[in-house]
Amino acid sequence: MEKIRVVVSGAAGRMGQRVIALAAEEPDFVIVGALEAPDHPKLGQDAGAVAGREPLGVPLSAEFRGEADVLIDFSHVSGFDSIINTCRKNRLALVFATTGITPEQDRALAELAEFVPVIHSPNMSLAVNVAMKLCQMAAEALKDKDADVEIIERHHRFKEDAPSGTALQFGKLISQIMGQIVHRHGRQGRPGRRPHEEIGYHAVRVGDNPGEHTIVFGLLGETLEITVRATNRDAYAKGALAAARFIVKQPPGLYGMRDVLGL
């Protein structure tokens, strides 16, 4: 079996460690690079040991030199340019899972996809992406049925952006079908009667919650809720590995987790 050669960016972070640990258990993957910020205190340490496994012979470094097939990025927006340059220079397929990027950076990903295959998804969870499809089905059925839409998301206390990129993606998909033009982030005071042309977002930050999203379709007399929960971060890491398996077989272009799942 020819193994997929993987570079992990954000390798010392919570998600990067889980990607490395799980990939090391799979017979079709081999970790060949582990990237971190130039000032990271663990540079030079073995990526496997940092991830709590046996050493892999791959040190954490600020730059990748070598041959690989795909880069999986769970890092920080501050390293965006470095990731783009690394993939372009080395002709690496990209699984991009970092959230909070700007519209300009979003365009840069699309430009990169002209040269290499790119998967961009605000959430790598397989279940979340199935839930997005279900929400689109609900939105289509309820778009002219006087339904309100609210999105509640919960994450750990360390998450820096709010609402989550996943919550915003749920809202985007629903509004494209139902036509809401206002995206309201929380409420306070006396905002008055709720208008139908808005989607409300509510971000909860508690403890070590790895991620939970509830999309509420509220009608008079009944309510439909679609909820998806992660019980640990492995859901996202396994989704990223599934995405890596898919993207290395594709021609240049911009893809999403729906392509991975065939939705």
Side-chain angles (χ1 to χ4, degrees):
M1 177 187 298
E2 187 172 346
K3 294 193 175 186
I4 300 170
R5 299 167 297 179
V6 179
V7 179
V8 178
S9 175
R14 290 185 294 270
M15 280 307 311
Q17 290 182 44
R18 294 310 300 156
V19 171
I20 289 171
L22 293 177
E25 297 175 355
E26 298 292 333
D28 56 338
F29 285 112
V30 57
I31 302 296
V32 298
L35 299 177
E36 264 301 345
D39 59 349
H40 198 281
K42 293 185 178 180
L43 286 184
Q45 296 185 28
D46 188 274
V50 171
R53 294 186 52 87
E54 64 277 3
L56 297 173
V58 179
L60 294 180
S61 61
E63 185 177 357
F64 176 70
R65 293 188 179 93
E67 295 184 355
D69 300 306
V70 60
L71 186 150
I72 299 175
D73 179 56
F74 276 103
S75 59
H76 189 273
V77 291
S78 60
F80 180 86
D81 291 343
S82 177
I83 295 304
I84 296 296
N85 292 336
T86 296
C87 289
R88 185 184 291 268
K89 181 175 68 175
N90 295 282
R91 290 282 174 172
L92 299 181
L94 174 62
V95 175
F96 187 78
T98 296
T99 61
I101 66 172
T102 66
E104 182 179 8
Q105 290 170 328
D106 199 45
R107 289 190 292 271
L109 281 176
E111 292 173 1
L112 177 65
E114 297 176 7
F115 300 94
V116 299
V118 175
I119 284 185
H120 179 206
S121 176
N123 195 302
M124 288 288 152
S125 159
L126 302 181
V128 162
N129 285 278
V130 172
M132 287 181 177
K133 180 66 174 181
L134 294 175
C135 283
Q136 285 183 300
M137 294 170 62
E140 188 66 44
L142 299 174
K143 64 183 178 181
D144 56 354
K145 303 297 190 298
D146 194 34
D148 303 317
V149 179
E150 299 279 310
I151 298 173
I152 306 161
E153 56 100 344
R154 299 185 180 205
H155 282 87
H156 52 85
R157 66 176 64 164
F158 307 104
K159 188 169 178 60
E160 296 183 3
D161 56 319
S164 69
T166 301
L168 293 174
Q169 182 67 8
F170 272 114
K172 177 182 178 181
L173 294 173
I174 292 167
S175 65
Q176 287 173 343
I177 297 171
M178 298 182 71
Q180 295 95 336
I181 59 174
V182 177
H183 295 259
R184 182 180 296 277
H185 302 284
R187 295 185 184 86
Q188 64 180 17
R190 295 176 60 85
R193 179 173 176 168
R194 185 196 195 285
H196 279 304
E197 66 268 17
E198 75 176 27
I199 293 179
Y201 299 83
H202 311 277
V204 180
R205 297 290 176 264
V206 288
D208 60 353
N209 192 321
E212 179 177 341
H213 294 80
T214 297
I215 295 78
V216 183
F217 294 87
L219 299 95
L220 297 180
E222 58 184 344
T223 300
L224 169 65
E225 294 188 3
I226 297 174
T227 296
V228 57
R229 298 184 181 93
T231 55
N232 58 57
R233 291 183 177 84
D234 285 6
Y236 310 120
K238 289 180 178 179
L241 294 178
R245 289 188 178 98
F246 170 85
I247 201 64
V248 295
K249 300 176 182 178
Q250 308 308 316
L254 190 60
Y255 302 85
M257 289 302 288
R258 293 190 174 199
D259 298 301
V260 178
L261 289 164
L263 297 177

